[in-house]
Amino acid sequence: MMITKRDDPATDGCMRRHQMAFTGRGPNGDENLQSMLVGTLMRKIKSRTWKKQRYFKLEDDCMTIWYQSRKAGNVHSTFSVSDVEAIREGHQSEVLLSIADEFPAERCFTLVFRGRRGNLDLVAESAEEAQSWIRGMRKLIENLENMGEREKLDQWISDWFKKADKNNDGRMNFKEVQDLLKMMNVDMNGHHAHRLFTMADKSRSGTLEDDEFVFFYKMLTQREDVLRIFQKYTVDSQKLSQSHLEDFLRKEQLERGNIQQHAKQLIENYEPSDRAKLLNAMTFDGFLMYLGSAEGSIFNPQRRGVYQDMSQPLCHYFISSSHNTYLMEDQLRGQSSVEGYIRALNRGCRCVEVDCWDGANGEPIVYHGHTFTSKILFKDVVSTVGNYAFKVSEYPVILSIENHCGVEQQRVMAQHLDHILGDKLLKSTLDGKAPIRLPSPEELKGKILLKAKKIGGLEESFNGMVENPLTEEVSDEDAVAEMDEDNLHRESVRHRVKKSKQRLSKELSDCVVYCKSVHFSSFKHSRIHSKFYEVASFTESKARKHLREAGAEFVHHNSRQLTRVYPTGFRTDSSNFNPQEMWNAGCQIVALNFQTAGEGMDLNDGLFSQNGRCGYILKPQFLREAEERFDPEMPQKGAGYSPVMLIIQVISGQQLPKVNLKKDSIVDPLVRVEIHGVPMDQAKQETRYIENNGFNPVWYDTLRFTIHTPELAMVRFVVEDYDKTSRNDFVGQYTLPLSCMQQGYRHIYLLSKDGTSIPPASIFVHIRITGLK
């Protein structure tokens, strides 16, 4: 890292810090970045009527966008480039579509932020200026994504330096350093802080600059925990020879395969000293960089890409699924938006919900019926799904249609699906013959499937015997299911069901192939009568009841056909249930409110973070084989029962974020480890809390768990700020399947409440998984 003072920071700022390496050139070699550094007048658009000019400028750190704001008492605002997830060109948001007649697409673009922050819609004065910002922002984001852990850390240090350097003179006095320590979550005694400051101030100027600040930071962040491990495997305490590194990988990290080759590769990839590389050795700095890398993280890199068999029937997979996808907030007054579909699909969601109602001018609309949520056009939803369905995963997308429309507008729906989606819409069986099982995700790549009511079955459509659509009466399945169980809602729902009784249009029915929505009677009835392409939907409470009363039957049912589970109607705040209990029974389409952060979405993100984040996870064999008779309530009776012991030593934490913004408040962190799995495996344990240290707390606390069904177990690490008088504050979390865990010494990089990363916050652990039989 270099924090150097220059005469003209605006022309060489991007090279100045954290070596963001624009292929070795500063922004003076990139016209787009130069233009952004100068700044541009653009219109910020919030609606058809709210269009205000703002001056936008890239700051000289090439990491921060500054813009003029008219908010009371706030003349300017900033946001970090790292907060921006994507740039969309043209009219790709509802706001910009609404002003399409006023401003041409080539002058418009949208900045999409991570997490749940709203988008920023902008209109430049010319197409050239818009392109300059679009290309420049993409360049900056690409550089950020290519940063290694060390560069990210340098960037983090550089950001803190900037925050603490109040008078912008490129140096820090002791008072500024003390303020910095408070901001960084360090409660250090003044005498000790001053001693480190004096040691770092080699120029004796009474201030820290450049390398002095880096030296001060290194003293502050000495990793005694890692040094202890390093020294255990070295002979001279200075470097690890290749053979000693191999010992470490074999004994501690429990690596298999060609360890000699892997050790060589690690030295090549992470050792910063050329001299050590020549000696085939690794210094402490290289060892630290390896442990902080993706290879040293808790998540097994071999599970990152698509590694599972994708050629099995659709019902053999857990499918990432969204409920009320069109909502951005709660389900009573929330805003409906196509943005909900874009965000869900970009997170790997493969089943989205579309609530359809008759709209004005013959155009069907999408919204949460009988509520105050806003309305969007069905055709806009279809168009958005068509555009975004396969951007992050090529595997099939299921459109779960909740149909409240009359026959006329159902025909319009079928037309829109046909015209807008074209070949992407699956309208017939894959080989044109009557199938005997569901096709696989592999066979359905690039296809959009409709899950909705259908007249008759697949068989009839091949022998020409289709029932008369005028005799087919259709009720919305979700409303019926809610009426069955949510007694308090009975009156309002009965009213809804009465209104939703309707005829089904043949055109819409013909769009349904492998996912026919049916009403569920009983497992016995399904076993005798149901077809593999029929899908039943349950509210969470109904599904729980079946789980309690007939767990093995439920598992058997789900080995043959798809089941959808969705939140109960009582969840008006769009909160989520725990999806784990539904996965335990093999339910595939466990629909969650993607717009609501918390434990439910953490588990969903954790399960689907493997297998290339493609939205499909192959279920364990005992949930796929009908004859296995697995019962989640009694896993020990299963044929392949092999429990394990999970031992986690929570060693230390690094740079945990501040949660209480009061200046003198410092985090008192504790780590809780939660096991989510079959009922026998549900467990949580926590470390003690460390007083006043969010910067580098040390625990060395050991937690032990017996896990009866490791194939289904999810492990959630939660860091909280302990408070003896009120509820602990959330600091960060990380969730992953037990099957994706690497053993040995590992770093866990924490995520925020809404699932976005908060570098460089991490916890350092040691993991062991041993068999119990």
Side-chain angles (χ1 to χ4, degrees), residues 329-542:
E329 296 161 49
D330 69 67
Q331 49 193 346
L332 286 183
R333 291 181 175 76
Q335 178 200 355
S336 300
S337 169
V338 295
E339 188 64 38
Y341 291 93
I342 296 171
R343 291 187 179 196
L345 291 166
N346 281 345
R347 282 177 86 166
C349 180
R350 299 287 87 192
C351 179
V352 295
E353 185 180 20
V354 191
D355 237 337
C356 309
W357 299 80
D358 283 336
N361 308 317
E363 281 293 344
I365 53 173
V366 173
Y367 83 114
H368 201 242
H370 306 298
T371 64
F372 298 105
T373 57
S374 58
K375 301 167 177 65
I376 48 180
L377 290 175
F378 175 76
K379 65 180 177 185
D380 288 345
V381 170
V382 176
S383 182
T384 300
V385 171
N387 288 335
Y388 287 88
F390 306 110
K391 283 199 187 296
V392 300
S393 170
E394 52 193 347
Y395 293 104
V397 166
I398 299 168
L399 279 185
S400 181
I401 300 283
E402 201 176 310
N403 176 14
H404 304 269
C405 293
V407 174
E408 282 310 309
Q409 292 206 10
Q410 286 178 42
R411 288 191 183 115
V412 176
M413 285 166 65
Q415 282 167 14
H416 287 325
L417 288 163
D418 207 17
H419 293 159
I420 296 168
L421 299 179
D423 290 343
K424 289 178 191 167
L425 181 68
L426 189 82
K427 289 196 70 178
S428 63
T429 56
L430 290 175
D431 56 5
K433 297 181 188 142
I436 51 168
R437 63 159 214 172
L438 284 171
S440 69
E442 191 65 37
E443 292 169 307
L444 291 166
K445 268 184 181 173
K447 291 294 180 189
I448 295 171
L449 283 65
L450 213 62
K451 182 188 89 64
K453 294 288 181 181
K454 183 173 179 65
I455 303 163
L458 270 186
E459 300 79 10
E460 288 92 334
S461 44
F462 286 95
N463 58 28
M465 290 181 59
V466 177
E467 292 177 42
N468 180 349
L470 295 179
T471 64
E472 181 81 357
E473 211 172 50
V474 177
S475 298
D476 161 56
E477 72 212 70
D478 285 1
V480 171
E482 278 188 32
M483 186 179 76
D484 285 347
E485 63 188 277
D486 294 345
N487 293 329
L488 290 175
H489 280 201
R490 186 156 290 203
E491 286 314 306
S492 63
V493 174
R494 186 177 290 140
H495 169 69
R496 239 200 302 176
V497 172
K498 213 172 278 175
K499 287 189 79 170
S500 71
K501 289 241 175 188
Q502 79 239 343
R503 310 281 182 225
L504 183 59
S505 98
K506 182 176 183 308
E507 293 85 347
L508 190 60
S509 169
D510 286 348
C511 294
V512 179
V513 184
Y514 292 116
C515 299
K516 176 184 176 178
S517 295
V518 295
H519 179 67
F520 178 80
S521 301
S522 69
F523 290 125
K524 185 179 177 185
H525 180 273
S526 289
R527 215 168 41 246
I528 300 165
H529 301 288
S530 72
K531 309 286 196 299
F532 64 87
Y533 53 82
E534 293 178 341
V535 186
S537 284
F538 304 99
T539 62
E540 56 176 290
S541 33
K542 195 57 159 258

Side-chain angles (χ1 to χ4, degrees), residues 59-96:
E59 293 201 339
D60 64 297
D61 64 354
C62 279
M63 280 299 299
T64 313
I65 307 293
W66 177 99
Y67 66 98
Q68 203 177 21
S69 171
R70 295 277 182 254
K71 283 182 185 166
N74 186 9
V75 291
H76 71 269
S77 293
T78 61
F79 60 86
S80 172
V81 172
S82 61
D83 294 336
V84 181
E85 187 168 28
I87 295 95
R88 297 192 201 132
E89 294 186 54
H91 300 138
Q92 284 207 62
S93 75
E94 280 152 310
V95 169
L96 290 177

Side-chain angles (χ1 to χ4, degrees), residues 112-266:
V112 182
F113 291 97
R114 296 182 189 283
R116 288 165 173 78
R117 180 173 170 180
N119 296 344
L120 179 59
D121 291 302
L122 298 170
V123 178
E125 294 294 300
S126 68
E128 294 72 36
E129 283 184 347
Q131 274 306 311
S132 206
W133 274 82
I134 290 163
R135 289 196 205 107
M137 284 297 294
R138 283 182 178 154
K139 177 81 168 169
L140 292 167
I141 290 168
E142 182 193 343
N143 273 283
L144 261 180
E145 285 169 353
N146 291 334
M147 266 191 190
E149 291 305 330
R150 172 59 62 94
E151 288 168 305
K152 283 181 191 165
L153 187 60
D154 287 348
Q155 171 57 41
W156 188 78
I157 301 169
S158 138
D159 286 347
W160 280 116
F161 186 93
K162 195 174 159 197
K163 281 181 199 167
D165 181 17
K166 292 285 192 291
N167 56 4
N168 296 315
D169 65 351
R171 52 181 77 218
M172 280 198 296
N173 59 35
F174 183 61
K175 171 75 176 75
E176 286 176 320
V177 165
Q178 280 185 304
D179 289 345
L180 170 65
L181 293 180
K182 279 278 191 316
M183 286 195 288
M184 289 172 104
N185 239 336
V186 187
D187 185 22
M188 188 178 282
N189 122 344
H191 177 70
H192 182 54
H194 197 266
R195 191 168 65 81
L196 292 185
F197 181 89
T198 308
M199 285 166 71
D201 181 17
K202 296 203 170 101
S203 63
R204 300 281 174 267
S205 62
T207 59
L208 300 184
E209 54 182 309
D210 297 339
D211 298 338
E212 293 176 342
F213 178 68
V214 177
F215 182 63
F216 169 76
Y217 178 83
K218 278 198 164 179
M219 286 193 292
L220 199 62
T221 56
Q222 276 180 334
R223 291 289 302 271
E224 296 294 336
D225 51 348
V226 177
L227 190 59
R228 191 189 290 190
I229 303 158
F230 179 76
Q231 288 177 340
K232 181 179 167 186
Y233 282 87
T234 62
V235 175
D236 59 1
S237 295
Q238 298 300 307
K239 59 188 178 301
L240 276 176
S241 67
Q242 186 181 315
S243 66
H244 287 140
L245 179 57
E246 287 169 22
D247 283 348
F248 171 76
L249 294 174
R250 199 176 289 111
K251 291 175 188 169
E252 299 292 353
Q253 309 298 73
L254 300 188
E255 301 245 341
R256 300 283 175 266
N258 191 339
I259 289 184
Q260 192 177 5
Q261 181 58 38
H262 190 209
K264 216 182 183 81
Q265 200 62 54
L266 291 179

